[in-house]
Amino acid sequence: MEQLEELFRVINTVQPGESVLVKYHPSYAPEFLVLLLMEYGRKRNVPIIIDDNFDSLHVLQEHLRFWGIEEDFSDALVVKSGGRINVGNVIANVEFSSEPLVYIKKYEETMKKALAEINDSINIALGLERLFAFIHSPREYYLFITELQKMLGNTKRKAVYLMNTEVASTLELNPLPELEYIASTVVEITPTPVSAKITFLKTPVRELLEREYEVSLEVMLDAFHGKGL
């Protein structure tokens, strides 16, 4: 468990108002990262908010079941956009619009109402690639990026954006370069057959810069098969 406790200490270094971009390659990295953040929230009484775009949380939950891990996300506050399968404690639905600016305005209004009384939360965004897939012009792209940029510095939350690098690179307008610029912290997760390597590419914490952590798959499975650490 020492590896996971070390990661908990790293999560502690992320300051309220930060936006953390997590880039990952095709693997089960997002599944285990979300589990880790859920457990962090439970142990430290920090609310976990999940932006569930196009049933991404359902896919993640089913992937965990294939590993023998049952997680109902009942203590996560879920804001859905698109999709029809509810997972976790769904507190709001954002009506999806293929017009990026219209959508993000609806998102802002919904989040402001739903989370008015919540502070010091961790906000995990799943399925961002699917939102960017609807963007087809530079104008739409930069309008969407600008709205995301406005959320930087919101001290009521620590934002964690998960992005599949391979999927992002196939989009008409790859969001990664701008998201890397906006984010206060950029993390890359690289899978190996038996572990995941976590590298900090950008961070205001100097001792973490370009530092690499490795977490074995065995450690993660041992931790979560028994429902938590």
Side-chain angles (χ1 to χ4, degrees), residues 6-31:
E6 179 65 17
L7 290 180
F8 281 178
R9 288 191 286 271
V10 171
I11 295 170
N12 280 337
T13 68
V14 178
Q15 299 300 305
E18 281 206 60
S19 292
V20 180
L21 173 63
V22 179
K23 306 192 300 180
Y24 66 91
H25 304 276
S27 64
Y28 287 99
E31 283 78 4

Side-chain angles (χ1 to χ4, degrees), residues 53-54 56 81 96-100 103 126-138 140-141 144-145 148 162-164 166-176 179:
N53 294 302
F54 299 101
S56 295
S81 176
F96 179 71
S97 170
S98 58
E99 292 291 329
Y103 165 75
L126 302 177
L128 270 181
E129 304 94 333
R130 300 180 183 189
L131 292 179
F132 276 98
F134 287 90
I135 296 176
H136 303 293
S137 74
E140 291 177 333
Y141 175 81
F144 196 75
I145 290 292
L148 287 176
L162 277 67
M163 183 70 67
N164 184 315
E166 274 72 5
V167 173
S169 67
T170 68
L171 297 176
E172 190 171 347
L173 293 163
N174 186 344
L176 281 176
L179 290 177

Side-chain angles (χ1 to χ4, degrees), residues 146-186:
T146 299
E147 292 301 320
L148 287 176
Q149 185 173 291
K150 289 178 183 177
M151 299 176 192
L152 181 66
N154 180 352
T155 55
K156 297 184 70 172
R157 68 173 195 167
K158 301 175 182 180
V160 181
Y161 301 115
L162 277 67
M163 183 70 67
N164 184 315
T165 57
E166 274 72 5
V167 173
S169 67
T170 68
L171 297 176
E172 190 171 347
L173 293 163
N174 186 344
L176 281 176
E178 287 294 339
L179 290 177
E180 289 171 354
Y181 169 70
I182 291 170
S184 55
T185 295
V186 178

Side-chain angles (χ1 to χ4, degrees), residues 12 37-49 75 118-123 156 158:
N12 280 337
L37 292 172
M38 290 289 298
E39 194 63 25
Y40 175 90
R42 289 165 181 152
K43 283 184 170 292
R44 287 161 173 75
N45 198 30
V46 175
I48 301 295
I49 304 159
D75 52 345
I118 296 175
N119 293 297
D120 302 322
S121 62
I122 293 178
N123 184 191
K156 297 184 70 172
K158 301 175 182 180

